[in-house]
Amino acid sequence: MRILIIGGSHAGISAAKYLKSLIPTSEVILIEQTNVLGFIPSSINFVFDQVFSIDNLDKGEVITSEQLQSMGITVLLKTRATELRPAKQEVVIQNSGTLSESCLSYDILILAMGSSKLAIAELGVGTSLSRVLSYKNPYETKQAYEKLSSAQNITIIGAGLIGLELATSLAKDPTKKITIVEQMGRPLFRYFDPDMTKILLSAIPPRVNFRLGETFSGLKLTGDQKVVTTCGDSSFPTDAAVLALNPRPTIDLIPTSIELEFDSTVKVNKHMQTTDPNIYAIGDLVKVPFGSMVEKAYLPLISIAKKTALAAARHISGSSNRGITESQRTIGTFLFGLYMGSTGITSEESVLLNIETQAFTKKISYFSQVNYQDRFSLTLKIIYDAKKHTILGTQLVTSHRETLELITIFAQAISDKKCLEDLLDLENYYAPQLSPNSNFIAETILEALKN
Ligand SMILES: Cc1cc2nc3c(=O)[nH]c(=O)nc-3n(C[C@H](O)[C@H](O)[C@H](O)COP(=O)(O)OP(=O)(O)OC[C@H]3O[C@@H](n4cnc5c(N)ncnc54)[C@H](O)[C@@H]3O)c2cc1C
């Protein structure tokens, strides 16, 4: 069986590896238009954090072509798929160096073209968007780094995970002033309720200034000065502006015979199969089931890209008919000295979804005397069904890296439809040199149940 995969990033690479492992006899060909495989999109943060230099951006790639080839996967770099011919089961490809074109036939085709920049029209900012920096690939990253490293007043558009992670890295340079423009009333609104974002806001230095409730509308030049404008005619000067918003699915290649959803994601079934049964779509091209209340949501995350790749590979190989399981939109991050995690729905979302929930938040400030953690803090918020106690969401903010891992336990508990009482039975190891003195989950739940 010959399987073609278009797109050599997180989804495409994962699909290639899973397929080769599940069907060793298959011919797996990975087609990537650039010479980069699986670039970590936030690599610019690692450059500002001095983890690697801007000249070593290959450290931001998760795998090499040689490693994939040693697994038996054929990798075609600098090769762009220019046309899909579903009726003939073939793809036209073009070498970006020689511009020579050829055709590749397939038994199964996997679309993993991911997402790219927002269309200008989506921001309604006219041509001035071309001055705004972005950094999803190495080329953009180099350009953005050059501008941002010499800029003192930097504007970040978007106070989601992407924008705040960049702000965390940039703010380490005390000469930089950062303004974050966000159309919602607070940062990270998708993942955290206001009481939790409040903890983050108190940790952010005054050099980072938020313009909340303002929508970016453009970046214009007044003489030599760049000026950011927001809807409602507000404006302020800046040295550089960087876009920190989720891009949109790359669908220019997709023929009309393959159905799209209303939001331009590719329509797929639970196996990631498109309306053409020989063609699958994965990663940032598709929506996935989110929790048990929301049928499907667009969750452009690397963990989700890998999950969709596995679902497709298992179906293609015939090893499972299970299909993709619900995602809980689990995230973990490190912002301004705080580890933050979220899974499932927020209290705010539960209102929108018309679910009667309760929430309980516990603050813990002690870890252990043997494994002493200076100024340890954990704020753990659990959101659960008011009647059945089924856990629906969890958010945590902590000073301690290992404690962030609690979020994975909650993500699994939500997927397994566990209730508060079930989690009291959770078995933990206890090693005094590693463990906290108390069981944070059990203590929080016992108090929640008293409420
Ligand atoms: C700035 C930024 C930071 C982010 N940080 C995180 C993070 O910390 N954690 C996280 O989970 N997610 C993060 N994300 C989201 C994450 O980048 C995406 O969810 C993930 O990259 C999706 O992987 P993908 O393989 O579906 O698509 P993409 O990564 O978009 O890759 C698509 C690939 O297809 C190739 N391609 C497209 N068209 C063609 C064609 N016609 N022919 C050949 N090749 C083609 C492209 O060159 C590209 O390599 C971030 C996103 C951005 C923008």
Side-chain angles (χ1 to χ4, degrees):
M1 174 163 39
R2 177 186 269 185
I3 305 165
L4 298 188
I5 303 170
I6 306 176
S9 183
H10 303 281
I13 291 168
S14 303
K17 283 165 54 179
Y18 289 137
L19 282 161
K20 206 59 200 170
S21 149
L22 289 166
I23 329 171
T25 54
S26 62
E27 185 189 5
V28 178
I29 305 178
L30 186 63
I31 302 164
E32 168 55 44
Q33 63 188 359
T34 68
N35 60 353
V36 176
L37 286 167
F39 187 65
I40 297 171
S42 51
S43 288
I44 197 164
N45 303 344
F46 299 110
V47 178
F48 283 114
D49 292 344
Q50 298 181 352
V51 177
F52 49 77
S53 82
I54 193 70
D55 299 324
N56 283 321
L57 273 189
D58 55 338
K59 294 232 163 75
E61 288 178 61
V62 294
I63 202 158
T64 63
S65 178
E66 291 72 34
Q67 284 169 321
L68 286 172
Q69 275 160 359
S70 71
M71 296 172 200
I73 296 161
T74 304
V75 182
L76 303 179
L77 291 178
K78 291 190 165 184
T79 305
R80 183 173 155 73
T82 54
E83 191 188 340
L84 307 188
R85 294 177 180 161
K88 293 185 178 168
Q89 292 194 208
E90 59 185 32
V91 173
V92 181
I93 55 168
Q94 185 183 52
N95 181 291
S96 65
T98 60
L99 297 184
S100 60
E101 281 200 337
S102 54
C103 256
L104 277 177
S105 64
Y106 62 81
D107 297 301
I108 294 290
L109 174 64
I110 300 184
L111 306 177
M113 290 92 74
S115 57
S116 38
K117 272 187 191 170
L118 287 173
I120 289 172
E122 281 184 88
L123 280 171
V125 293
T127 50
S128 60
L129 185 61
S130 60
R131 296 195 195 102
V132 185
L133 306 168
S134 55
Y135 54 91
K136 196 177 173 201
N137 58 47
Y139 175 72
E140 290 174 354
T141 301
K142 277 190 182 140
Q143 282 194 323
Y145 177 76
E146 205 176 289
K147 299 254 164 56
L148 293 177
S149 50
S150 60
Q152 278 195 320
N153 287 300
I154 296 171
T155 304
I156 298 176
I157 300 141
L161 277 178
I162 299 174
L164 288 180
E165 285 176 359
L166 176 64
T168 303
S169 297
L170 289 174
K172 288 181 185 152
D173 176 345
T175 65
K176 292 200 190 303
K177 284 194 178 150
I178 297 148
T179 302
I180 307 180
V181 180
E182 166 60 52
Q183 62 181 0
M184 302 303 285
R186 60 194 176 80
L188 297 180
F189 74 97
R190 256 193 204 96
Y191 302 101
F192 295 94
D193 286 313
D195 50 334
M196 302 300 275
T197 36
K198 211 169 145 190
I199 304 171
L200 170 68
L201 286 171
S202 66
I204 296 181
R207 281 181 296 106
V208 180
N209 160 43
F210 284 90
R211 295 182 76 112
L212 299 171
E214 288 191 42
T215 304
F216 171 76
S217 67
L219 182 67
K220 60 182 184 191
L221 270 183
T222 307
D224 281 349
Q225 180 65 65
K226 293 191 183 91
V227 176
V228 174
T229 57
T230 62
C231 294
D233 283 344
S234 167
S235 65
F236 59 93
T238 193
D239 298 334
V242 55
L243 208 55
L245 304 175
N246 276 322
R248 293 285 177 264
T250 314
I251 51 165
D252 46 340
L253 191 64
I254 297 177
T256 48
S257 58
I258 296 173
E259 269 183 58
L260 299 180
E261 301 273 10
F262 70 93
D263 58 357
S264 297
T265 53
V266 181
K267 188 171 187 173
V268 285
N269 64 14
K270 65 176 183 174
H271 305 297
M272 303 293 117
Q273 224 167 1
T274 69
T275 42
D276 178 328
N278 297 317
I279 303 181
Y280 291 68
I282 57 176
D284 276 8
L285 283 179
V286 298
K287 287 192 287 198
V288 292
F290 170 45
S292 48
M293 280 76 61
V294 182
E295 201 198 343
K296 277 189 171 184
Y298 187 55
L299 306 177
L301 290 167
I302 292 170
S303 52
I304 305 289
K306 291 180 179 172
K307 195 170 165 155
T308 58
L310 182 56
R314 290 176 88 191
H315 190 245
I316 293 165
S317 68
S319 65
S320 167
N321 207 29
R322 205 163 110 99
I324 192 152
T325 52
E326 285 164 15
S327 164
Q328 305 307 336
R329 199 183 53 193
T330 308
I331 58 108
T333 186
F334 181 62
L335 300 172
F336 297 98
L338 293 172
Y339 295 95
M340 301 184 71
S342 166
T343 185
I345 59 168
T346 61
S347 289
E348 275 194 344
E349 262 173 331
S350 73
V351 176
L352 296 174
L353 292 166
N354 216 5
I355 309 166
E356 205 191 319
T357 58
Q358 272 190 319
F360 185 78
T361 306
K362 185 171 170 65
K363 288 183 188 289
I364 297 161
S365 56
Y366 190 70
F367 196 80
S368 115
Q369 74 288 5
V370 181
N371 178 10
Y372 183 71
Q373 300 296 323
D374 192 25
R375 303 171 76 175
F376 175 81
S377 69
L378 166 65
T379 305
L380 179 60
K381 175 172 184 172
I382 308 176
I383 297 136
Y384 51 96
D385 182 289
K387 290 199 184 100
K388 296 184 197 148
H389 290 180
T390 319
I391 302 169
L392 300 172
T394 302
Q395 297 156 42
L396 68 83
V397 182
T398 177
S399 59
H400 186 229
R401 166 68 189 88
E402 284 79 2
T403 302
L404 176 63
E405 294 306 320
L406 294 179
I407 206 68
T408 310
I409 296 177
F410 282 98
Q412 193 58 48
I414 297 170
S415 288
D416 293 344
K417 316 250 179 310
K418 299 280 186 207
C419 62
L420 292 177
E421 290 81 351
D422 293 327
L423 271 200
L424 288 176
D425 296 329
L426 190 80
E427 189 168 310
N428 288 304
Y429 70 85
Y430 175 75
Q433 69 277 29
L434 304 173
S435 310
N437 275 358
S438 36
N439 179 334
F440 298 148
I441 296 181
E443 285 192 2
T444 309
I445 290 177
L446 283 175
E447 279 190 44
L449 290 173
K450 274 195 238 159
N451 265 21

